[in-house]
Amino acid sequence: MFAVFRKPKTFKLRALHSQKKFGVAGRSCQEVLKKGCLHLQLPVAGSRLCLYEDGTELTGDYFWSVPDNSELVLLTSGQTWQGYVSDISGFLSAFHRPSAGLIQAARQLLSDERAPLRQKLLADLLHTISENIAAETRAEDPPWFEGLESRFQSKSGYLRYSCESRIRSYLREVNSYAPTVGEEAQGEYTRIVDLMCQKLRAVQYNGSYFDRGARAGLRLCTPEGWFCCQGPFDVDSCASKHSINPYGNRESRVLFSTWNLDHIIEKKRTVVPALAEAVTERDGREVAWEYFYSLLFTSENLKLVHIACHKKTTHKLSCDPHRIYKLPTKSKRRRPARKCQ
DNA sequence: TCGTTCTTCTGTCGTTATCT
DNA sequence: AGATAACGACAGAAGAACGA
């Protein structure tokens, strides 16, 4: 089809590094370029048109396939444009190792800022770049420890403690369920709680989950301390890409306490009642307490989630009926259990 | 023995789901 | 609509264990 029969294509055009746009229409690349150069008082020779978005050059073939009202940049000989996408990536790399001057400049901008959106963007940016992630001890980063007991001397130590204490509270809940199981089964129930307690002590209540210094398989974060939201219990990943580094600054540390360890198969509604039932109905069989242990206290059944990804509805999941009792094997000699709790 | 640290327990918070 | 329950967490108090 001849271009002359077509409706002209419309564009928004600007010069390199200029915020001012103007409308241009034309039936060919050349026509738009000529009009643009005329308007901007630039030479046509050596000039060309690029998409503002990603810098793709607008050529004869490509001309008709871009959408109407696309934004273009007019480049003269020697000028280049990689698109605003590269602007963002350039902007981000400037903050990878921010200089004191950069931070100061951002602070100045923020203090004069009235518009809420820009205020938020600047505040979030400052918050992020003013993190002192590498620091680990109280001496290296005193503000991080503000409000914490003096016994906490390292960030890893505190986060390890906070994880332990979460896991401990799960054990306490399991234990507090004991009086509700039948008279006959209570002894066995408390014996199992006791075994779980010993196992938890052996692994220090899985405090390593929050400890960036822990071995790779034992922690839920990167060696720098970044945690990523694992998404709602019934979804594979976090659509919002939530992430946090509680090691960064005090605010992140406080905010991290609103992140939850969510039991995929629910602790209170499902796992604990199932354990109680398994003990009551065991009928000579041996309860596979390690299975329940893994559901209650380990990352096998725990997801670390941002509060927005924490669904409090009933999960409607149940324990695997095939894993509740141990398979009948040759009897093992039982070691006397040490008192626990 | 005394001070410190660990552990347990209680009360509370904020949010969301569910019941009345 | 309002009350209630569940979830997951935290602070602080108090008791237990530890170590110089």
Side-chain angles (χ1 to χ4, degrees):
Chain A
M1 204 215 261
F2 290 104
V4 282
F5 300 129
R6 288 202 179 179
K7 190 161 65 82
K9 210 156 196 42
T10 58
F11 298 96
K12 291 192 177 116
L13 187 56
R14 71 175 84 196
L16 184 64
H17 304 314
S18 166
Q19 294 298 311
K20 270 179 81 178
K21 299 177 274 188
F22 60 96
V24 186
R27 290 190 171 81
S28 75
C29 205
Q30 205 55 33
E31 185 186 346
V32 174
L33 182 65
K34 271 183 194 158
K35 284 183 180 174
C37 287
L38 191 66
H39 187 278
L40 293 167
Q41 299 285 291
L42 295 169
V44 179
S47 292
R48 61 210 190 281
L49 297 167
C50 288
L51 288 185
Y52 178 59
E53 184 178 346
D54 61 5
T56 313
E57 195 168 334
L58 198 67
T59 58
D61 307 340
Y62 193 38
F63 182 82
W64 289 105
S65 58
V66 298
D68 258 331
N69 297 314
S70 291
E71 295 201 17
L72 303 178
V73 181
L74 200 161
L75 300 175
T76 57
S77 172
Q79 290 184 327
T80 58
W81 175 249
Q82 272 83 45
Y84 62 71
V85 175
S86 77
D87 252 20
I88 293 174
S89 111
F91 174 79
L92 289 179
S93 57
F95 289 102
H96 189 66
R97 286 198 161 279
S99 64
L102 191 76
I103 294 174
Q104 191 47 47
R107 286 222 175 93
Q108 187 57 50
L109 272 177
L110 177 60
S111 71
D112 299 339
E113 190 56 63
R114 303 269 82 198
L117 172 64
R118 288 171 62 95
Q119 217 170 64
K120 175 174 165 46
L121 287 172
L122 278 166
D124 285 356
L125 183 78
L126 266 169
H127 173 244
T128 307
I129 61 179
S130 64
E131 292 194 319
N132 191 358
I133 291 175
E136 171 65 17
T137 65
R138 199 179 264 268
E140 288 164 350
D141 191 358
W144 194 92
F145 291 85
E146 207 175 291
L148 296 186
E149 291 170 48
S150 61
R151 65 189 166 106
F152 298 114
Q153 289 297 323
S154 74
K155 295 180 180 179
S156 299
Y158 172 75
L159 280 155
R160 180 175 266 281
Y161 163 81
S162 82
C163 185
E164 279 175 24
S165 131
R166 293 183 191 206
I167 304 277
R168 244 196 286 273
S169 76
Y170 302 160
L171 178 67
R172 206 166 40 250
E173 192 180 324
V174 179
N175 193 39
S176 68
Y177 205 77
T180 70
V181 292
E183 189 90 351
E184 183 272 334
Q186 223 169 91
E188 179 64 4
Y189 188 88
T190 45
R191 189 183 74 85
I192 286 175
V193 172
D194 211 65
L195 288 169
M196 288 176 168
C197 178
Q198 286 178 47
K199 187 159 175 161
L200 280 171
R201 278 185 177 173
V203 295
Q204 287 145 83
Y205 294 92
N206 286 331
S208 64
Y209 288 167
F210 289 179
D211 179 2
R212 62 177 173 181
R215 278 214 340 267
L218 301 177
R219 56 179 146 79
L220 298 175
C221 59
T222 68
E224 294 77 33
W226 285 100
F227 291 85
C228 292
C229 173
Q230 298 176 310
F233 76 95
D234 52 353
V235 180
D236 276 343
S237 59
C238 170
S240 308
K241 301 262 180 214
H242 297 127
S243 67
I244 190 167
N245 191 331
Y247 291 84
N249 55 29
R250 199 184 88 90
E251 197 171 317
S252 297
R253 163 172 75 72
V254 173
L255 214 54
F256 185 65
S257 67
T258 66
W259 283 51
N260 293 315
L261 283 169
D262 187 17
H263 285 84
I264 300 168
I265 302 176
E266 295 163 282
K267 161 173 53 68
K268 191 165 189 172
R269 289 199 183 100
T270 311
V271 183
V272 175
L275 173 63
E277 192 191 315
V279 172
T280 316
E281 318 271 308
R282 67 190 186 286
D283 192 23
R285 290 169 295 183
E286 198 176 348
V287 176
W289 66 270
E290 288 97 337
Y291 171 58
F292 290 98
Y293 171 93
S294 72
L295 294 180
L296 290 164
F297 310 115
T298 75
S299 54
E300 225 174 286
N301 190 45
L302 285 170
K303 266 189 154 186
L304 180 69
V305 296
H306 183 277
I307 189 158
C309 285
H310 183 211
K311 291 188 188 169
K312 292 168 186 176
T313 33
T314 55
H315 293 187
K316 290 180 181 134
L317 296 169
S318 43
C319 302
D320 182 350
H322 301 108
R323 298 180 65 183
I324 288 176
Y325 296 104
K326 290 186 183 176
L327 296 169
T329 52
K330 40 192 183 301
S331 64
K332 275 178 255 169
R333 192 167 301 144
R334 197 175 286 157
R335 251 180 285 149
R338 199 162 67 86
K339 182 83 190 92
C340 210
Q341 286 217 323

